[in-house]
Amino acid sequence: MDAKSPALRCATGHIPDDVSPAVASILTRHATAAARMNAFYWKLFRGDIHAEYPGE
């Protein structure tokens, strides 16, 4: 996954300073799952027909 992806940055705890507390809470809660799914989708997009669904 691209190290600069917003999902990965948020998943590693780097929440943007310019978001409201409510948005920061949502990002904190869901960023890890979003980063995993993003990586999975990129595998599929690149043609990996054996990509395993995250969590399986």
Side-chain angles (χ1 to χ4, degrees), residues 3 5 16 20 29 32 45-46:
S5 93
S20 70
R29 191 169 50 248
T32 302
F45 181 76
R46 291 184 179 123

Side-chain angles (χ1 to χ4, degrees), residues 17-34:
D17 294 330
D18 60 346
V19 299
S20 70
V23 172
S25 174
I26 292 168
L27 291 174
T28 299
R29 191 169 50 248
H30 297 288
T32 302

Side-chain angles (χ1 to χ4, degrees), residues 18-56:
D18 60 346
V19 299
S20 70
V23 172
S25 174
I26 292 168
L27 291 174
T28 299
R29 191 169 50 248
H30 297 288
T32 302
R36 275 191 240 125
M37 289 304 296
N38 190 48
F40 171 67
Y41 291 142
W42 273 111
K43 286 178 187 176
L44 293 177
F45 181 76
R46 291 184 179 123
D48 181 355
I49 61 171
H50 301 289
E52 291 189 27
Y53 188 77
E56 299 219 351

